[in-house]
Amino acid sequence: MSAKPRVKVPKKAAKGDIIQIKTLISHKMETGTRKDKNGNVIPRNIINKFVCSFNGTEILSAELFPSVAANPYFAFSARATESGTFEFAWSDDDGKTVTATEKITVS
Amino acid sequence: MKRTLMGVAAAGLMAFGLSATAAEMKAIDKASTTSAVRSGFSYAISETREMQTDDIQNPSFLWVDIGEEQWGTVDGEAGKSCESCHGNAADTMANVGSTYPVWDPATKKPMNVELRINKCRAENMKAKPWKYESDELLGMTAYIKSVGRGKPIHVSLKDGDMEAWSKKGEQFYYQRRGLLDLSCAHCHEQNPGNLIRAETLSQGQTNGFPTYRLKWQKLGSLHRRFRGCNNNIRAEPYAYGSDEYLALETYLAQRGANLPVEGPSVRK
């Protein structure tokens, strides 16, 4: 994971609006089925879980499997209820977790 | 009549729930389908095009972010960053993507964006040049091209021996090579739009590079694409930044004159 994750959340929304959230993260998503030059299996290293929470409450979680391509992109919708912070977390097989946060103002 | 057409266009946009990026897509489409010169973009399926035109979906922008960060990072003995001399890239680099390669009097060769970056690093920053195809060099190239998106390609042959190098590139383009005995022209001049196995051939224009190829699962340079092409026709590929590929890059810029810079693009 070299680059920082890219996240797009509208800065403002009216109460009750359905907003679109988009995320993109850099990850090689090594499948665990490929072999290196010497014929040794390259160990699996994929992002296996993605979680999005809003003000501490989980609103979306996804389990990922080896067929997902490198640099996974997620887009989903949420209903704007109150101002607050979206937290995004990507966890991989190495036990690393990358997080990002984005604020929204709901009026 | 005009109003009706616009009405239909607007209704079409609404029906498919398309956004501003769709308008951008249409603009590139129009630019490339109304002339004989077509960007690789116009041969791609709609899902791939949508990926390219949305800066969040476009995975190249992970590299653009690396480039943007490097732009302001001090490196080398001179204690300078790109920003120290060039200021805001959006202002100073806007015309780079569309005008390179340019003539380099020091090496007496055309110089593409990658080589220019490394020349600057070596001479002005006293920093180690980046390796061709490293994330840093791809990132910086992508960043510099991204600030000049939409500018029509216009590579001048006036300086130095650019004319002769372009001729050399033209010779390379029409030279049969490899076990399959094919030249660039056999696929990209005589058969664009036709299938080669399961792949649609394009005109092989260079305006979208560096490009995120879904097959590569990462961003790649134009010279990587050249090497891949040469490999496919069972020819020995030349080195990254080699004279042969610099000549070809110079010539291809002439073939793609006036196409908008799209880099960093997304291709199959």
Side-chain angles (χ1 to χ4, degrees), chain B residues 131-153:
Chain B
K131 263 176 81 177
Y132 228 101
E133 232 48 30
S134 62
D135 285 341
E136 287 84 5
L137 188 55
L138 286 171
M140 187 59 76
T141 312
Y143 177 51
I144 288 173
K145 294 234 170 165
S146 74
V147 298
R149 276 190 296 179
K151 302 242 170 176
I153 289 185

Side-chain angles (χ1 to χ4, degrees), chain B residues 110-128:
Chain B
M111 173 169 60
N112 60 11
V113 178
E114 284 91 341
L115 294 177
R116 186 72 192 90
I117 293 167
N118 272 339
K119 187 183 160 94
C120 229
R121 283 181 67 77
E123 289 177 8
N124 302 327
M125 294 168 72
K126 309 270 180 241
K128 245 177 86 179

Side-chain angles (χ1 to χ4, degrees), chain A residues 2-4 6 24 26 71, chain B residues 52 54-56 58-73 89-90 130 134-149 208-212 218-220 262-266:
Chain A
S2 45
K4 276 180 244 149
R6 291 172 67 83
L24 178 71
S26 162
N71 310 319
Chain B
Q52 175 176 324
D54 181 352
D55 287 355
I56 287 280
N58 184 341
S60 314
F61 275 78
L62 293 165
W63 278 266
V64 172
D65 282 353
I66 295 176
E68 196 172 350
E69 204 183 314
Q70 290 293 335
W71 182 263
T73 308
W130 281 320
S134 62
D135 285 341
E136 287 84 5
L137 188 55
L138 286 171
M140 187 59 76
T141 312
Y143 177 51
I144 288 173
K145 294 234 170 165
S146 74
V147 298
R149 276 190 296 179
F209 283 87
T211 189
Y212 187 94
K218 70 176 295 229
L219 200 66
E262 276 173 36
S265 66
V266 180

Side-chain angles (χ1 to χ4, degrees), chain B residues 213-257:
Chain B
R213 269 196 89 194
L214 301 175
K215 179 186 166 184
W216 292 338
Q217 300 265 293
K218 70 176 295 229
L219 200 66
S221 69
L222 179 60
H223 289 200
R224 178 172 180 186
R225 180 66 266 203
F226 287 163
R227 285 171 63 84
C229 250
N230 278 174
N231 220 25
N232 288 346
I233 55 167
R234 321 279 187 268
E236 187 77 32
Y238 291 94
Y240 289 102
S242 61
D243 290 0
E244 287 81 2
Y245 286 165
L246 284 174
L248 185 59
E249 186 172 351
T250 308
Y251 171 63
L252 289 180
Q254 305 304 315
R255 290 183 74 94

